Structures are given as C-alpha cells and as structure tokens.
Amino acid sequence: MKTGVDYYPEHWDKSLWEQDADLMKKSGVSLVRMAEFAWSKMEPEEGVYDFAWLDEAVKLFEDRNIEVILCTPTNCPPLWLYEKYPEVLQTGRDGKRQEPAIRGHRCYNAPAYRGFVEKFVRKMGEHYQNMANLAAWQIDNEVEAGFCCCDSCAEKLREWLKEKYGSLEAVNQAYHNEVWSGSYSAWSQVHPPLGDRPVTQYNPAYMLDYQRFMSDSTIDYVNFQQRLLREYFPQTPITTNTWFCDHMPDFYKLFDKLDFCSYDNYPATVLPEEGYYSHAFHLDFIRGVKQKNFWIMEQLSGTPGCWMPMAPTVKPGMIKGYGMQAFAHGADAVINFRFRSAVGGAEMFWHGLIDHSNVPGRRYAEFEELYRTVKNLKHMEGTEIRSGVALLCGFESEYAFSLQLQAEGAYYLEQMQAFHSAFTHYGVNVDIIDQEADLGKYRIVVAPAMYVRSQKASDQLHIFAQNGGIVLLTARSGVKDEHNNCIMQPLPAGYSDMTGCWVEEYDAVGNRKIPVIMDGQYYQGMRWCDIIRTESAETLAVYGENFYAGKAAVTKNSYGKGCVYYIGTVGLPGLCRRLAEEMLRQTDIPYVENLPERVEVTVREGKGKRFTFLFNNDEAAKEFDFRGIPMRMEPFEMKVLEGGEV
C-alpha cells in the first residue's frame, strides 16, 4: 500500500525540484506520477528529443528511493504537430476541427497521429528501458470515447460496420432503416453524426453502433500504445487512468489487456442532504472492472475549481478520510493531485496539497497523517475485497439510456447506485461487474435496467437463479434487442419466466414520488412505475396512488433452487434498503443492522488477515455501538479493526 503525488517538474524552476523531492520524502511519498502532459517539452521540434530534464527529475527521486510512474504524454500533442498536420485534430459534429492549445483534442484514428504516437512512445521506451525506479506506465490521460466526425473516423466507421454486418442490407435490416426513408444504398452514405440536431433525434440503432465504434476506437488506441510499451517493458505494469465522464469507453474492455485499473477520484467537498454522493460506488465500480485491487492516480487534495467556480474548501478530515476510503475499497496506491497548485494555465485553481502561498498548511499536514496511518497498515498488503453481492453493469445499456431519455431525471447508473447504497448501508461488500462476467462466487446478483439485450448475460442469470442464487431485476429490463430496437414481447422480455410476472403498462412519472406499500409500511419510488401482472410470482409491495393503486410494484418468484425479485419503480433509499435486507436474510452473508446514516463499513481480507474499516462519511460526529464496542467517530474519521467478523 503506497501513497504518492502527481508532480510536474516542467512547470517549476529547477531550484524547486530538490527541495520538493526532500519534502516528499519527509512526508512519506513513495510514488510520483510524471510527464502525462509534457510531449512538447520532450519533443520541442519534430524529430528533436530532449529527455535530459526528465532524467534529472527521475534521478532526484531515485536517489530518495521514490518510485516513478511515467505517462505517455499523448493526450496533448505539441502545437507544431497540429500546425503541420491539422488532420490529427478531432472534428466536431459541426464539421469544424477542434481548436488546438487545449488538451485531449486529437483523433485516435488519424493515421498521421498514430504515426507520431508510435515514434514518440518508441523513443521514450528506448530511453527509459533500464530505468531503475520505474513503478508503472500510464497510457495517455483520461481517454474518452467522444464523438469525432473527421474523414478518418468516417472511413473507420464504415470498415467497422462492414466487419460487423458484412453487407449494407444487413445494416439496413438491423437499423430498421425503412423508417424515415433512411436505407443506405452505398457505403459512402454512412457518416458520423454531423449536424446540429440532438443525438436523440438520430436512429437509436445507428447511434448505439456509433457509440460502440467510438468506444472500440478508444480501446484500440490504448491497446496500440500498450503493445508498443510491452516491447520495451515486458514485466512493468501498464495501465491508463479513467473517470466517469460523458463519453465513457467500456471500462471492462478498456482494461482487459492492461495490468490493473486506475481511477481519478474527486469526492465532493460539499455533501448533499440527499442523493447518492459517496465515492464508495465509484471505487467499487473500478475494483469490479478487473475484480481485483486498483490504483488511484489522482486523489482530491484541495478546492476544485477550473472550468467552473471554485467549490468550498476541503473540510478537515477529508484528505485523510477519502484517502483511507479508497484503501478500504481495494486501492493499493493513492496518489494525490497535485503536489503543488499550478500558478499558470487553466488548472491554476484546482488546488493541490501546497497552495500558491508556497507554505505547507493544514491539508499537507493531513496528507502526512495519511501516510503515517498507511505505514502502520503495511501488514494489510495482499488483502482484497471479497463480496457475496454483485451489481451487473452493461455499457451498451448506459449508451442506449443516454440516447433516449426514459423519464425526467432518469439515468442508467441510478438504480445501480440505489442498490449499492442499500447493501453498503448494511456493511456489505459489493462488486460492480460486467453483466457477462462469471457469477459463480456470488450469493446475490442485482441486475438493474438490463435494457439492451445480452443473451449471454440473460443465460447466466437464469442458470444462477436455477442453481440457488438470488436475483433482483428492475424496471426497464428486456426493453431492447442487441441493435437497440424494441422487443415485441411483454416486459421484462427474456426474463418474465424468471420473474413470474409481466408488465401490463408503464408510467414515466419522472421526479414525482409515488408511495409504495410493503408489509403495511409506506416507502417511495420515482422515475418509473411498471404496472405488474403476476403469474407465479408473489406480490411483496403495491403502489399507493394513481389509477394503479393496489397493483403490484415489487414481486418475488421461486425459480429453480433460487428466487427472483422484480421491482417496477426506482426505489428511494427506504424501499431499496428494505429489499436488500430481505435478500440478505436468505443468505449467510454477514451484515450489520442499525448503522448510523453515512457510516460505511468495508472488509479487506486474505493471507489469514481480516481488516474492518469504519468510515464516517459525514460532517457530523457519530456515536453508536458496533459489535458491542461503543464508537464515537469524528467527521470523515476512519477506524480500522483487525481480526474478527462483521
């Protein structure tokens, strides 16, 4: 378990480098990440390379036994490249090339760009092939599957469709192109979505494929760099960093050929009164991508502020508490962004550990405290999160949801967040895994909004329940086939044999809250109401108002040796917690009752060791009894208990 910082020596006068390295060593830094935006510094002119300055920085850290993560700086090509080869710039939906001088606006598919990336990565690889303190490589930075409409992407899109479908006739059939006279008669008629109309007005089947194509292009680009680096570094771990952006590539495919997952973690500095704000969800999501421990490449260090007004400052306890929260959920390294707040550029007010005053203050002292805590937990290395509960995620459903909004305020991840929050309320570890991943090690599988059909996922859920597993399916499951066209069967199509019920009608209620009655208790749902007709299923809850008052809202059905729940609304916390407890009671999964609000419990174990983390993710102190032990926890405090059971 390691703590570290992001450092940009190219931003600072060399007179600062040595004192910074000494300060890092004193504070306990064991990892430094560098160079992800420094291409122009390393290749100031085409074919002219200068690694001497980076060599000096690397040597400073080597002398202090600090490991370095090097990044391929391909997120920001130098301006000379854009000037001489403008075709490497992304083209927007308006047909215009993006402006250079801001980051990330390169086209992954542009042949000229790929050529320069290969030359540079090879040069960098050759130069650092024998680097003594190299911990890992990070490819690029926060890659996104954003829309590029350039000629290179148009041609690649046609090639992608030809490989997938084989013929235009098959494309027309898959897309139902007879609607609005949209049938293709030549491949030249296939283009990226140019124009100013909203993407929601395009053919949903076409747009889903376009998003799949852009995700695949992003993944191919990362794997292209991964193959280059492997030639020089066959044993060095390779990753890329990611975040939850508007155009996410499919994380499960993105990290498939990489050694571990990395995430950029920025919890909110202002906690909302309600809603799913805890980054425990994001951390469990990233851990579930490869179902193993991960690294944080950027961690909240100060006031965020850059493209938006500055947020209120980080509260006392947040630096250490959120760092420990990441370790609790499976991080093996937490690297804080950034060591120093930048004095220039667009990110000068995205604050680091040391402010513009150049005086280490409260936040820096708390970072040092984080290191001391982690140092005392070295015996925790080799432990991992083991979960009996899995949430299924399908990126194709995420894409399809964003193309056709299902109800006011609805989004794909919402039901996933709702049930993640419900199970973690009982101190239960949760994995968020690919919908097609193996389910064998789980007792409970929650499959929210299985919107776009995956036959493999459906088959595995059936087998899981038949063999004694507990499954929960939710509203908006079985709606679309693999091409994003509606299935002409009663919902949840493909699952109604498991659920023992079907949907007579539905109501998109949006932000309106609907009462749901279960065991005489009133709960609430919102966004959506499936009006359910039961066959073999038992009705567990009914709606409390509207023309469907008294109609089933939640059902349970025996299926094989297991059982299947179905919830026809997006449950608010009370309802989701009630269902989570109902399912947990049927298993041997240990859980905690009566945890205070916003107190999180996580367990890491392995190699005969077991550690229980208790985190007060709140601005108010909490007093409660935990396993017979009186507890008082200050805001954002983490306690670690060794041994025993939850």
Side-chain angles (χ1 to χ4, degrees):
M1 296 172 63
K2 302 176 181 179
T3 56
V5 292
D6 295 295
Y7 191 57
Y8 300 88
E10 69 273 23
H11 295 181
W12 309 106
D13 188 87
K14 286 186 180 180
S15 62
L16 282 174
W17 293 6
E18 189 162 357
Q19 70 181 62
D20 282 351
D22 287 338
L23 193 55
M24 290 179 203
K25 181 66 177 177
K26 177 177 175 291
S27 66
V29 166
S30 57
L31 277 173
V32 173
R33 185 183 72 140
M34 295 194 295
E36 84 259 35
F37 297 128
W39 191 345
S40 66
K41 185 76 171 176
M42 288 185 272
E43 191 180 2
E45 300 176 41
E46 183 176 352
V48 177
Y49 299 95
D50 179 10
F51 297 108
W53 66 274
L54 186 56
D55 294 344
E56 284 186 56
V58 166
K59 185 66 165 60
L60 283 173
F61 295 119
E62 181 184 352
D63 291 345
R64 290 158 180 78
N65 295 315
I66 295 174
E67 292 184 293
V68 170
I69 302 161
L70 285 181
C71 307
T72 63
T74 49
N75 182 276
C76 290
L79 293 182
W80 61 256
L81 196 155
Y82 286 139
E83 183 180 40
K84 295 173 71 172
Y85 307 93
E87 67 271 22
V88 307
L89 282 162
Q90 287 181 12
T91 297
R93 294 188 56 225
D94 59 3
K96 297 178 181 178
R97 288 186 177 130
Q98 299 292 315
E99 292 294 326
I102 48 180
R103 74 185 198 186
H105 291 306
R106 68 277 187 249
C107 174
Y108 303 135
N109 291 319
Y113 175 64
R114 287 286 188 107
F116 278 101
V117 168
E118 179 167 0
K119 287 178 188 176
F120 185 85
V121 172
R122 286 191 180 280
K123 205 71 172 178
M124 197 175 181
E126 289 169 3
H127 189 82
Y128 290 105
Q129 193 166 10
N130 298 312
M131 181 175 157
N133 60 329
L134 180 63
W137 277 96
Q138 176 192 297
I139 292 170
D140 207 273
N141 181 75
E142 294 181 345
V143 291
E144 295 185 46
F147 295 175
C148 180
C149 299
C150 72
D151 291 342
S152 295
C153 284
E155 188 54 42
K156 285 281 188 180
L157 173 61
R158 294 175 194 124
E159 292 173 7
W160 187 90
L161 290 170
K162 287 175 185 177
E163 183 175 349
K164 180 173 181 177
Y165 293 102
S167 68
L168 273 178
E169 290 75 14
V171 174
N172 285 329
Q173 184 176 3
Y175 290 1
H176 283 261
N177 273 343
E178 64 278 2
V179 176
W180 289 355
S181 193
S183 296
Y184 300 123
S185 58
W187 285 106
S188 59
Q189 296 161 11
V190 178
H191 297 282
L194 286 160
D196 58 2
R197 72 184 65 178
V199 294
T200 53
Q201 293 182 14
Y202 284 81
N203 184 329
Y206 156 77
M207 280 305 304
L208 178 57
D209 261 355
Y210 181 73
Q211 291 208 313
R212 286 166 169 154
F213 161 71
M214 289 311 305
S215 177
D216 286 354
S217 294
T218 309
I219 293 160
D220 180 72
Y221 165 72
V222 169
N223 286 334
F224 162 69
Q225 291 205 36
Q226 175 262 139
R227 291 190 297 272
L228 293 173
L229 288 171
R230 291 277 186 225
E231 293 182 31
Y232 303 96
F233 305 93
Q235 303 302 320
T236 304
I238 300 172
T239 188
T240 189
N241 59 330
T242 196
W243 64 302
F244 286 77
C245 53
D246 288 338
H247 298 288
M248 295 182 288
D250 185 326
F251 291 166
Y252 301 102
K253 295 178 181 176
L254 176 67
F255 287 100
D256 183 54
K257 291 182 170 59
L258 302 178
D259 294 294
F260 60 93
C261 295
S262 298
Y263 176 60
D264 294 350
N265 189 40
Y266 292 102
T269 61
V270 177
L271 308 188
E273 292 184 6
E274 59 182 26
Y276 307 113
Y277 72 91
S278 176
H279 270 233
F281 173 79
H282 301 80
L283 299 168
D284 287 345
F285 198 120
I286 294 301
R287 189 189 67 251
V289 170
K290 290 183 79 70
Q291 297 186 49
K292 67 178 187 180
N293 292 0
F294 58 95
W295 287 16
I296 298 294
M297 286 298 186
E298 297 181 14
Q299 174 78 12
L300 178 74
S301 296
T303 301
C306 188
W307 307 278
M308 67 288 196
M310 280 187 277
T313 192
V314 172
K315 307 294 191 302
M318 280 184 170
I319 299 293
K320 180 184 177 184
Y322 284 138
M324 288 300 298
Q325 183 194 38
F327 284 118
H329 286 267
D332 282 341
V334 173
I335 299 169
N336 281 71
F337 181 90
R338 47 195 283 168
F339 185 69
R340 289 183 173 277
S341 301
V343 297
E347 287 190 322
M348 66 175 72
F349 292 120
W350 198 287
H351 292 70
L353 292 168
I354 300 177
D355 287 335
H356 301 126
S357 66
N358 198 27
V359 178
R362 169 180 65 86
R363 300 196 311 277
Y364 195 85
E366 199 171 303
F367 172 76
E368 291 183 302
E369 188 180 344
L370 170 64
Y371 162 71
R372 290 192 294 270
T373 301
V374 172
K375 184 180 179 181
N376 290 331
L377 294 173
K378 285 292 183 184
H379 55 304
M380 192 186 299
E381 290 181 354
T383 61
E384 61 186 5
I385 304 287
R386 296 175 182 173
S387 305
V389 178
L391 290 171
L392 302 192
C393 175
F395 272 85
E396 294 186 343
S397 290
E398 151 68 15
Y399 300 153
F401 248 70
S402 67
L403 293 170
Q404 291 178 299
L405 304 179
Q406 295 297 287
E408 184 182 6
Y411 59 97
Y412 173 65
L413 295 179
E414 184 173 33
Q415 294 189 75
M416 207 175 296
Q417 289 175 303
F419 280 101
H420 178 272
S421 177
F423 280 101
T424 56
H425 175 72
Y426 293 104
V428 174
N429 290 346
V430 178
D431 289 346
I432 302 172
I433 62 174
D434 180 44
Q435 63 181 1
E436 295 186 352
D438 182 72
L439 306 178
K441 64 182 179 181
Y442 301 104
R443 289 288 291 113
I444 297 171
V445 171
V446 179
M450 301 291 280
Y451 186 67
V452 174
R453 178 171 61 195
S454 162
Q455 193 60 52
K456 180 178 180 181
S458 175
D459 291 345
Q460 290 186 162
L461 280 172
H462 279 77
I463 293 169
F464 178 77
Q466 286 173 339
N467 290 340
I470 299 169
V471 173
L472 184 141
L473 286 156
T474 76
R476 308 317 286 150
S477 293
V479 177
K480 299 290 195 80
D481 66 15
E482 62 272 24
H483 300 301
N484 206 17
N485 298 311
C486 287
I487 298 172
M488 291 183 64
Q489 296 175 17
L491 296 175
Y495 300 103
S496 56
D497 60 326
M498 297 174 64
T499 61
C501 65
W502 54 278
V503 178
E504 291 183 315
E505 190 178 351
Y506 49 70
D507 186 10
V509 297
N511 294 325
R512 180 183 173 191
K513 295 177 180 177
I514 302 294
V516 176
I517 306 165
M518 184 172 179
D519 294 333
Q521 299 293 314
Y522 276 76
Y523 302 96
Q524 288 182 320
M526 62 190 304
R527 308 287 189 230
W528 197 267
C529 292
D530 278 340
I531 304 163
I532 301 169
R533 170 73 65 88
T534 58
E535 298 287 351
S536 57
E538 169 191 0
T539 297
L540 296 185
V542 298
Y543 295 112
E545 69 177 37
N546 216 321
F547 66 90
Y548 38 88
K551 294 279 190 175
V554 182
T555 64
K556 177 183 177 182
N557 188 52
S558 296
Y559 188 77
K561 298 177 182 177
C563 66
V564 180
Y565 291 81
Y566 186 83
I567 177 171
T569 187
V570 177
L572 270 67
L575 179 57
C576 292
R577 289 176 184 178
R578 176 69 181 81
L579 291 173
E581 186 180 24
E582 168 90 11
M583 289 183 277
L584 287 168
R585 283 204 299 258
Q586 298 176 61
T587 74
D588 57 0
I589 299 172
Y591 64 97
V592 184
E593 295 183 271
N594 302 317
L595 275 177
E597 289 292 326
R598 300 188 174 186
V599 170
E600 301 172 4
V601 178
T602 317
V603 177
R604 285 182 63 149
E605 56 189 316
K607 297 185 177 180
K609 306 170 188 174
R610 183 180 179 89
F611 299 87
T612 301
F613 295 79
L614 288 86
F615 178 46
N616 179 19
N617 194 355
D618 200 2
E619 296 180 33
K622 302 290 169 71
E623 294 187 10
F624 60 101
D625 185 86
F626 181 75
R627 296 191 315 198
I629 305 172
M631 289 280 180
R632 177 179 171 84
M633 299 189 71
E634 299 303 320
F636 308 107
E637 183 182 3
M638 175 75 77
K639 292 184 184 294
V640 184
L641 308 178
E642 187 170 355
E645 293 185 355
V646 176

